[in-house]
Amino acid sequence: MVTQEQRLACAYLIKVAEPPAPALRRFVVAHGVVAAAAAVRVGDVPESVEAETSARRHIDTAAEDLAVAKRAGARLVTPEDEDWPAWPLLPLTNAAARGLKWASPPLGLWVRGTAPLAEALQRAVSIVGARAATSYGEHVATEMGYGLASRGMTVVSGAAYGIDGAAHKGALNATGSTVAVLACGIDRAYPAGHTALIDRIAAQGLVITEYSPGTTPARHRFLVRNRIIAALGSGTVVVEAGQRSGARNTAASAAALGRVLMVVPGPVTSAMSMGCHDLLREGLATSVGSVAEVIESVGLFGEDLAPKPETTPRPTDGLDSEALRIHEALEPREAHPAERIAEVSGVPLSKVRAVLPALELTGLANRCESGWRRTPPTPT
Amino acid sequence: MVTQEQRLACAYLIKVAEPPAPALRRFVVAHGVVAAAAAVRVGDVPESVEAETSARRHIDTAAEDLAVAKRAGARLVTPEDEDWPAWPLLPLTNAAARGLKWASPPLGLWVRGTAPLAEALQRAVSIVGARAATSYGEHVATEMGYGLASRGMTVVSGAAYGIDGAAHKGALNATGSTVAVLACGIDRAYPAGHTALIDRIAAQGLVITEYSPGTTPARHRFLVRNRIIAALGSGTVVVEAGQRSGARNTAASAAALGRVLMVVPGPVTSAMSMGCHDLLREGLATSVGSVAEVIESVGLFGEDLAPKPETTPRPTDGLDSEALRIHEALEPREAHPAERIAEVSGVPLSKVRAVLPALELTGLANRCESGWRRTPPTPT
């Protein structure tokens, strides 16, 4: 059970510190959220925490933030809640422990939607990509969102125009689960043109953010937000990305966090695929072209193997190279004696005499009075 | 100097044995081509050589073959010739020595065109791919053929419809060097629709084959021919390939021979790119999207590095994360005091006071009476 005091303390700290706040988070873990908030309020904290909290520690809108969130249909989930996604966020916790400050986990998450958060994130794949996506990229993102959601995976993305929106829509169309991670307050919809989409995501899945209600989106917040998208998916699929893009930032985060990084290849003539191809050339990412390949890439080794695409078998598939040469040397319209077949194929006569009856048995050759001819393939 | 007797012996053996003929080649290397031919003619050979030669050893059209070739503007280059491409064929020699029978080098090469063979193959890249190529694939193959030939590389391919033809044409359009490796006699043009193209290749580059004049193209001969294409290029680029294709066979040969294998990615919605993407997923190939990347991939380490594509620098590029947050907290239209900038950015006031003048110096911020505002970006 999380007390109201704890929740208020968490809301206060989230408002005070601009994420990521590694020193404050360590301080909270060490002293508990209530004591940490009290210390921050009066400035009785180590220097590193002071640097993260001094600018706003006099602002306490915790009660108001909780009320605003409630009106927006949202709640605050804290690390003390049973619903806290500790397992999906573990790569951030571990990376922060290794000293990667940018990877520090959020102090809490504002959550809009009724689904349990930790459960929704149990089997999740992140799909990210360019806002200025091509119709090819949006098509692939929609198909992947749909296919992954249909197979019980939660599709995590950032609600942006282009690839993000297409991935969410695909999951929604499959009546599956999808989570949008915002870079602004839970009471905001950004981009404004995706207000209806974000409402649909909240109704069917979840909208989450580490930013206090009222926080405006700013460029650095998107980059900070991306670490959460990169962490929450067992793997991240980059569908399209320019050479300098937020999607590449998410990709780099996923790779640094040890998550599976996948890219969808595209035409080399398309600027929107250049970021994907760069990641392939740098050896950072696996190429994926289908939902089955994504599931295989993030799945457990040996399970979830993508089915090998079926190829049409040929009647000559089982033949060894000499039998193939004998078969090729036969003509469909004119029969020839074995001696001639040996000459044309270059296979010794004794072998030709042994193989021809075998070809006849499998329906590939015909014996007639003047010799042997090839059986024309039966139409399928 | 190669004697006429040696050349006749080589032409005879080429006609007698269907390639690859690993036992015969070892026999020739051990005894010399003239003695080997004499022994084959009378059947005085080890069993393995007998199996490769018994079917046709009674056929001796060597003098006629040389005459037919001469009329077609072609010559026979033997391993004894100075012009023999021993170095480009070395991967085949080595692989054959490791026991890979399919990799046995040709006994000789029929060559049409005036350029010296070994010299033309000194810096070569092979480009292969689907016959049923898309316009995307043909576009990329033409561009790569053009770009590689312009940079002094010889473009090796198989003269087929689709990717092969596009690669040859690109090289021809650059008035560069290109080599077509045929799977039939040097006096034939296959496919017939590429007769004029093959003539142009012979006029500007070289057309080569290990098959005797008059030999018809047969399915198994294309697969056998592919080992030569895979060997002659320092690297092989697969531009488009279905999941079961001759291009994948060439790719597998190139990988087995230790040559650099490259693929051009394409839309995952295109069946013609599936073979390429499979090779990427299997970790057998490098992704390439430009001539510069091909040259980097086949080039010497540290040389020939592909230029990193230029990205437009942003004025904020040099800023650290706190300075970025301060810059983002500034508004272009309304000035605010430093205290307010500290609150909005979450950066301690002392740091804000230090950074703002620095931002002013680099033209990113303006100080006015009521505080600080962001300098609007100057249009470029």
Side-chain angles (χ1 to χ4, degrees):
Chain A
M1 266 298 288
V2 181
T3 65
Q4 184 65 5
E5 196 185 11
Q6 286 175 313
R7 211 173 296 282
L8 282 164
C10 181
Y12 164 71
L13 291 175
I14 285 179
K15 175 78 175 196
V16 165
E18 183 72 27
L24 176 58
R25 189 180 158 275
R26 282 196 305 274
F27 192 67
V28 169
V29 169
H31 303 280
V33 68
V34 173
V40 165
R41 215 177 297 262
V42 296
D44 182 20
V45 291
E47 204 175 313
S48 59
V49 179
E50 172 76 7
E52 288 174 8
T53 54
S54 69
R56 299 189 200 138
R57 72 167 192 242
H58 59 283
I59 306 173
D60 186 352
T61 56
E64 195 187 320
D65 288 347
L66 286 166
V68 169
K70 196 171 183 184
R71 281 199 298 278
R75 63 193 190 274
L76 174 62
V77 177
T78 78
E80 292 77 22
D81 277 291
E82 268 188 35
D83 204 15
W84 182 250
W87 176 251
L89 291 171
L90 193 62
L92 291 179
T93 313
N94 290 341
R98 290 199 311 273
L100 298 181
K101 288 183 179 174
W102 63 266
S104 190
L107 297 169
L109 286 167
W110 299 92
V111 180
R112 195 178 149 210
T114 52
L117 178 61
E119 199 179 307
L121 295 169
Q122 222 160 23
R123 277 166 63 89
V125 171
S126 299
I127 300 181
V128 299
R131 281 166 295 168
T134 69
S135 57
Y136 162 70
E138 294 198 3
H139 168 80
V140 174
T142 307
E143 291 286 309
M144 286 206 168
Y146 185 96
L148 290 167
S150 310
R151 283 163 185 77
M153 312 289 279
T154 292
V155 174
V156 177
S157 194
Y161 290 130
I163 299 302
D164 286 20
H168 286 304
K169 283 174 199 162
L172 290 172
N173 291 346
T175 54
S177 171
T178 185
V179 171
V181 187
L182 303 184
C184 59
I186 197 74
D187 56 332
R188 303 250 171 156
Y190 185 88
H194 272 178
T195 305
L197 174 65
I198 292 170
D199 286 347
R200 281 180 65 202
I201 297 170
Q204 188 173 320
L206 292 169
V207 178
I208 69 175
T209 181
E210 64 183 318
Y211 292 100
S212 297
T215 307
T216 53
R219 192 185 296 159
H220 65 88
R221 293 197 176 112
F222 290 100
L223 298 178
V224 169
R225 180 272 315 260
N226 289 347
R227 80 192 192 291
I228 298 183
I229 294 177
L232 294 184
S234 304
T236 291
V237 182
V238 184
V239 177
E240 282 190 319
Q243 289 200 299
R244 182 170 175 157
S245 60
R248 289 211 58 176
N249 169 265
T250 311
S253 303
L257 295 174
R259 290 304 206 188
V260 178
L261 180 59
M262 296 157 278
V263 300
V264 174
V268 297
T269 46
S270 165
M272 280 302 116
S273 287
M274 289 181 84
C276 292
H277 297 153
D278 283 351
L279 290 166
L280 276 178
R281 266 182 83 72
E282 289 157 17
L284 288 173
T286 306
S287 161
V288 289
S290 66
V291 169
E293 289 180 349
V294 173
I295 291 178
E296 177 180 317
S297 295
V298 300
L300 298 171
F301 189 75
E303 296 180 30
D304 297 328
L305 282 176
K308 282 289 151 228
E310 283 181 31
T311 53
T312 318
R314 293 179 189 145
T316 51
D317 271 353
L319 303 185
D320 68 16
S321 69
E322 286 191 322
L324 268 177
R325 276 159 55 187
I326 293 167
H327 183 253
E328 289 267 334
L330 296 169
E331 291 179 29
R333 272 174 297 271
E334 200 180 342
H336 295 291
E339 290 74 14
R340 162 73 191 251
I341 304 300
E343 271 183 30
V344 172
S345 64
V347 176
L349 184 58
S350 56
K351 181 82 193 271
V352 171
R353 287 203 169 115
V355 167
L356 282 171
L359 290 179
E360 189 176 30
L361 274 176
T362 52
L364 290 166
N366 272 136
R367 186 203 304 255
C368 38
E369 273 180 39
S370 53
W372 294 83
R373 58 190 193 90
R374 193 192 302 178
T375 313
T378 41
T380 45
Chain B
M1 268 298 288
V2 181
T3 65
Q4 184 65 3
E5 194 184 12
Q6 285 176 315
R7 213 174 295 282
L8 281 164
C10 181
Y12 165 71
L13 291 176
I14 285 180
K15 175 81 173 196
V16 164
E18 182 74 26
L24 176 58
R25 189 181 157 276
R26 281 196 307 273
F27 191 67
V28 169
V29 168
H31 301 281
V33 66
V34 173
V40 165
R41 215 178 295 263
V42 296
D44 180 21
V45 291
E47 204 175 314
S48 59
V49 179
E50 172 76 8
E52 289 172 8
T53 53
S54 69
R56 299 190 201 137
R57 73 168 192 242
H58 58 284
I59 306 174
D60 187 353
T61 57
E64 194 186 321
D65 287 348
L66 285 166
V68 169
K70 196 171 183 185
R71 280 199 297 278
R75 63 192 190 274
L76 174 62
V77 177
T78 77
E80 290 77 23
D81 277 293
E82 266 186 39
D83 205 17
W84 181 249
W87 177 252
L89 290 172
L90 193 61
L92 291 178
T93 312
N94 290 341
R98 291 199 311 273
L100 298 181
K101 290 184 179 174
W102 62 266
S104 190
L107 297 170
L109 286 167
W110 299 92
V111 179
R112 193 178 150 210
T114 53
L117 178 61
E119 200 180 306
L121 294 169
Q122 220 160 23
R123 277 166 62 89
V125 171
S126 300
I127 301 180
V128 299
R131 280 167 296 169
T134 68
S135 57
Y136 163 69
E138 294 197 3
H139 168 80
V140 174
T142 306
E143 291 287 308
M144 286 203 168
Y146 185 95
L148 289 168
S150 310
R151 284 164 184 77
M153 311 289 281
T154 293
V155 174
V156 177
S157 194
Y161 290 131
I163 299 303
D164 286 19
H168 286 304
K169 282 174 200 162
L172 290 174
N173 291 345
T175 54
S177 170
T178 186
V179 171
V181 186
L182 303 184
C184 59
I186 197 74
D187 56 333
R188 303 247 172 160
Y190 185 89
H194 272 180
T195 304
L197 175 64
I198 292 169
D199 287 346
R200 280 180 65 202
I201 297 171
Q204 188 174 319
L206 292 169
V207 178
I208 68 174
T209 182
E210 63 183 318
Y211 292 101
S212 296
T215 308
T216 53
R219 192 185 296 158
H220 65 88
R221 292 196 177 113
F222 290 100
L223 298 179
V224 169
R225 180 270 318 258
N226 289 346
R227 81 193 192 291
I228 298 183
I229 295 177
L232 293 185
S234 303
T236 291
V237 182
V238 184
V239 177
E240 284 191 319
Q243 289 199 300
R244 181 171 176 159
S245 59
R248 289 211 57 177
N249 168 265
T250 311
S253 302
L257 295 175
R259 290 303 204 189
V260 178
L261 180 59
M262 295 157 278
V263 300
V264 174
V268 298
T269 47
S270 165
M272 279 302 116
S273 287
M274 290 180 83
C276 292
H277 298 153
D278 283 353
L279 289 166
L280 276 179
R281 265 181 83 72
E282 289 159 15
L284 289 174
T286 306
S287 161
V288 289
S290 66
V291 169
E293 289 180 350
V294 172
I295 291 178
E296 177 179 316
S297 295
V298 299
L300 297 172
F301 189 75
E303 295 179 31
D304 296 330
L305 282 175
K308 282 289 150 229
E310 284 182 31
T311 53
T312 318
R314 292 177 188 147
T316 51
D317 270 353
L319 304 184
D320 69 15
S321 70
E322 287 190 322
L324 268 177
R325 277 159 56 187
I326 293 167
H327 183 253
E328 289 266 334
L330 296 169
E331 291 180 26
R333 272 174 298 270
E334 201 179 341
H336 295 291
E339 292 74 13
R340 165 68 194 254
I341 303 300
E343 270 183 33
V344 172
S345 65
V347 176
L349 184 57
S350 55
K351 181 83 193 268
V352 170
R353 286 201 170 116
V355 167
L356 281 171
L359 290 179
E360 190 177 29
L361 276 176
T362 52
L364 290 164
N366 273 135
R367 187 204 303 257
C368 37
E369 273 179 39
S370 54
W372 295 84
R373 58 189 192 90
R374 193 192 302 178
T375 312
T378 42
T380 43

